[in-house]
Amino acid sequence: MNAFNDKLNIIRKKERKISFTSSSIIEESYQMILLLKDLLLELKTIVLTKGFKTEMEEIYFFKIVKPEVLGKLIYYNKVYRIETGCPVNNGKLFIKYFTKHLEQLKTSYKEYVCNSDFYKYYKSKRTDLDSKFFRLNQIDLHGGLNSIVFEIDEKFSTYYDYKVSRIISNDLLYEYLIQRMDSEEKTSIFQNQPVDGYNKDVFWTDSKNALVELIYALHASGAVSNGRVGISKMSMVFEIIFRVKLGDLHHSFHRMKDRSGSKTAFLDHLKANLEKYMDKDL
């Protein structure tokens, strides 16, 4: 499994470097497509030549490893196609364009994905049927499966690994489309905020990742509006207060999750400095 995990770490390290600002999103999506395509071919070579040592390793590969690579490949390819086809950089037409893609995604998800028994099985994190879904040569055609089952390579797919890949790609794409529409709304609000004598000296001096960590912590703890305010709206408030653009919060958060060492470095820093400050008054 270590060899497979090494491949996943390559993806995560590359993603930590992605900024996904409007000026770089097309190029960075394209670079991720090339990386993921090569990794998928490498994984296929490993599986076809070496096979699996245990049933557990086989299930892990087809439930976790391959879906992450293929799911992200599908996702970045869709992002690339959406961005290169976008007619404008901002404004009402921009919002309309991304709204159309979001509605198409929602419709497809409702019709073909979220009501399926497998979707419920996967999302509930069950494992009792893993041997049926994530091992080779276990496809049961009596279940009336999607016709794509006839196009897959049976030596490198269980069919259900593809379904997990689509779930992953759709989840990522949904968050991405929401973020892109929010970013346009935030830009408009941000640009229209006056800088007066009251707030011109108030600005964020730590890293943007630190502010993202703080926002997610406040959201997760329910400290703001009992947790009913979404991440996007909270980030907008902080952007206005500190006049800073945070970019893609989704990717920043996932880079935080993949950190080596403490995943809450900024919160740890706050706690240590607050305790030090309190000790001064003793």
Side-chain angles (χ1 to χ4, degrees):
M1 292 186 188
N2 288 336
F4 295 144
N5 287 331
D6 288 342
K7 301 300 181 184
L8 296 184
N9 287 333
I10 291 173
I11 300 172
R12 292 161 187 170
K13 286 179 182 178
K14 179 70 173 178
E15 286 186 315
R16 282 197 287 269
K17 297 179 181 179
I18 292 180
S19 60
F20 259 26
T21 59
S22 58
S23 61
S24 66
I25 190 168
I26 292 176
E27 177 59 27
E28 298 205 3
S29 296
Y30 181 70
Q31 292 300 322
M32 286 302 301
I33 292 170
L34 296 180
L35 171 67
L36 290 162
K37 180 173 174 290
D38 288 343
L39 278 178
L40 193 61
L41 288 174
E42 285 184 42
L43 290 172
K44 184 173 184 178
T45 299
I46 292 172
V47 170
L48 294 182
T49 57
K50 298 182 179 180
F52 302 101
K53 297 177 182 177
T54 64
E55 177 181 328
M56 184 180 297
E57 184 180 60
E58 183 177 359
I59 291 173
Y60 179 76
F61 177 80
F62 287 114
K63 187 176 184 178
I64 305 296
V65 180
K66 185 186 173 188
E68 179 168 342
V69 178
L70 180 57
K72 288 186 175 180
L73 177 57
I74 295 171
Y75 162 67
Y76 282 110
N77 185 55
K78 286 185 177 180
V79 169
Y80 182 81
R81 290 170 59 188
I82 289 171
E83 290 293 338
T84 53
C86 188
V88 292
N89 293 325
N90 50 50
K92 292 183 178 179
L93 187 58
F94 177 94
I95 294 294
K96 185 177 180 180
Y97 176 79
F98 280 93
T99 300
K100 180 191 75 173
H101 280 284
L102 182 61
E103 291 305 316
Q104 289 175 347
L105 178 63
K106 288 180 178 179
T107 299
S108 175
Y109 221 46
K110 288 178 181 178
E111 291 182 358
Y112 303 110
V113 181
C114 65
N115 291 323
S116 71
D117 290 336
F118 177 76
Y119 179 83
K120 295 171 185 176
Y121 173 86
Y122 176 74
K123 281 295 186 177
S124 63
K125 298 183 179 180
R126 286 170 54 188
T127 60
D128 53 296
L129 297 177
D130 281 1
S131 293
K132 172 185 175 182
F133 292 136
F134 302 110
R135 296 198 68 200
L136 295 170
N137 303 314
Q138 299 293 315
I139 299 175
D140 180 11
L141 298 179
H142 289 95
L145 303 177
N146 191 297
S147 296
I148 196 172
V149 70
F150 301 111
E151 301 177 21
I152 67 173
D153 184 345
E154 293 186 10
K155 295 180 180 179
F156 188 59
S157 180
T158 70
Y159 171 64
Y160 289 97
D161 61 87
Y162 172 75
K163 293 178 78 70
V164 175
S165 300
R166 291 304 300 266
I167 292 171
I168 291 172
S169 67
N170 284 344
D171 285 350
L172 290 171
L173 189 62
Y174 177 81
E175 293 186 38
Y176 166 75
L177 292 171
I178 292 292
Q179 182 68 32
R180 285 295 273 152
M181 289 189 292
D182 282 349
S183 66
E184 172 61 19
E185 182 181 354
K186 289 175 186 177
T187 298
S188 176
I189 294 174
F190 187 83
Q191 290 174 341
N192 292 326
Q193 290 301 308
V195 180
D196 53 33
Y198 180 76
N199 66 1
K200 69 178 182 179
D201 295 326
V202 178
F203 51 92
W204 187 257
T205 53
D206 211 304
S207 69
K208 291 183 179 180
N209 283 338
L211 185 53
V212 171
E213 185 178 325
L214 177 61
I215 291 170
Y216 269 94
L218 292 171
H219 175 71
S221 65
V224 178
S225 301
N226 294 315
R228 292 192 296 269
V229 177
I231 290 292
S232 294
K233 183 171 287 188
M234 282 185 60
S235 67
M236 187 188 303
V237 171
F238 278 88
E239 285 180 322
I240 292 171
I241 292 173
F242 296 119
R243 303 194 64 78
V244 58
K245 296 187 68 173
L246 293 174
D248 192 332
L249 267 72
H250 168 71
H251 277 80
S252 297
F253 179 65
H254 280 274
R255 287 195 292 269
M256 284 164 48
K257 289 169 64 177
D258 291 334
R259 286 173 180 167
S260 58
S262 175
K263 299 183 188 302
T264 56
F266 181 62
L267 297 181
D268 296 342
H269 173 72
L270 288 181
K271 181 176 182 292
N273 279 276
L274 178 57
E275 290 175 346
K276 187 184 297 184
Y277 185 79
M278 288 175 170
D279 290 341
K280 287 182 180 179
D281 295 333
L282 295 179

